[in-house]
Amino acid sequence: MLVKDWMTREPVTITPDTPVMEALRIIKDHHFRRLPVMDQGRLIGITTRKDLKDAMPSKATTLSVWELNYLLSKLTVSEVMARPVVTAAENEYLEDAALRMQEHRVGGLPVLNDAGQLTGMITTRDILQAFTGILGMQGGGQRLTLEMDDVPGSLAAATDAILPSNIISVATYPGGPGKLRFVIRVNGDGVRDVRSRVQQAGISVLD
């Protein structure tokens, strides 16, 4: 799965001279959490709802309303945006972008094409949508978690036991020492008895 297949295209952007109050309004109106900052068609920064709110004067300020309005009118995104920007590439694998988001502790990445142009945003929401798609959540059926020896042929043995049911998704993660767990979703013929067939084949069914 590539980033371009899951990203949000044509993201709303702002410029570095956009007033902070205007950027907050855009975020609120569109229900965003972050906005890429563009200058002459080039990505130069990113700002989040938290960045913008943190830049606002404290409620405990002694400034007058006039002074507050004056300061807010002068405060622009260029003063609060983050740079340099951590990005994703359109044609990279989704899991690589997800790992980068985790490493940098960010909830979204601007996406660039091969020419360095901004073409989308990939966020944790997109990653979750992809994750549920991988697990076949929309396909219904029955979910099995199998624990097997982490050796060649384990998945083939599970597949043989599952037949004639249809496997619609498979995911793996480490089990106990020397073990691998398969999360398999199945539907179709024989699904009612699939659990007992797998157990009769000597395969451990955890749930």
Side-chain angles (χ1 to χ4, degrees):
M1 295 190 302
L2 302 180
V3 167
K4 65 182 179 182
D5 297 324
W6 295 93
M7 69 182 188
T8 299
R9 295 183 177 274
E10 300 181 0
V12 175
T13 65
I14 53 177
T15 61
D17 59 356
T18 301
V20 165
M21 290 297 291
E22 174 65 10
L24 275 171
R25 184 193 64 76
I26 293 172
I27 280 181
K28 180 179 179 181
D29 289 349
H30 292 85
H31 306 289
F32 295 148
R33 291 189 177 182
R34 56 194 59 79
L35 289 170
V37 183
M38 304 291 291
D39 186 21
Q40 297 181 353
R42 185 170 59 91
L43 178 69
I44 63 167
I46 190 167
T47 190
T48 66
R49 180 170 55 188
K50 184 179 185 302
D51 295 333
L52 297 169
K53 287 189 172 182
D54 286 349
M56 302 295 289
S58 168
K59 292 182 179 179
T61 182
T62 58
L63 296 174
S64 66
V65 173
W66 183 88
E67 290 171 320
L68 277 174
N69 288 336
Y70 176 78
L71 287 175
L72 291 176
S73 68
K74 297 295 184 181
L75 185 62
T76 64
V77 168
S78 63
E79 300 175 66
V80 300
M81 68 182 185
R83 65 171 96 182
V85 190
V86 181
T87 64
E90 277 188 342
N91 292 312
E92 73 172 313
Y93 293 123
L94 188 65
E95 59 266 33
D96 291 333
L99 180 61
R100 193 173 309 115
M101 289 166 61
Q102 182 179 359
E103 290 173 343
H104 291 271
R105 298 182 180 181
V106 294
L109 300 174
V111 181
L112 306 179
N113 62 16
D114 293 339
Q117 300 167 321
L118 179 70
T119 56
M121 285 287 298
I122 191 77
T123 67
T124 52
R125 182 177 180 178
D126 301 318
I127 301 296
L128 287 173
Q129 184 177 358
F131 177 72
T132 56
I134 290 171
L135 293 181
M137 298 297 291
Q138 292 80 18
Q142 185 172 158
R143 178 185 185 275
L144 302 172
T145 302
L146 316 180
E147 185 169 72
M148 306 179 69
D149 291 333
D150 187 8
V151 296
S154 289
L155 182 57
T159 300
D160 288 342
I162 287 169
L163 290 172
S165 299
N166 181 45
I167 297 175
I168 58 177
S169 71
V170 179
T172 65
Y173 65 98
K179 299 288 185 178
L180 192 63
R181 293 182 180 180
F182 297 85
V183 180
I184 302 177
R185 188 169 290 273
V186 301
N187 63 12
D189 295 339
V191 72
R192 178 176 298 180
D193 303 319
V194 64
R195 188 179 300 272
S196 61
R197 291 200 306 276
V198 173
Q199 290 172 330
Q200 290 169 11
I203 299 171
S204 176
V205 181
L206 303 183
D207 59 46

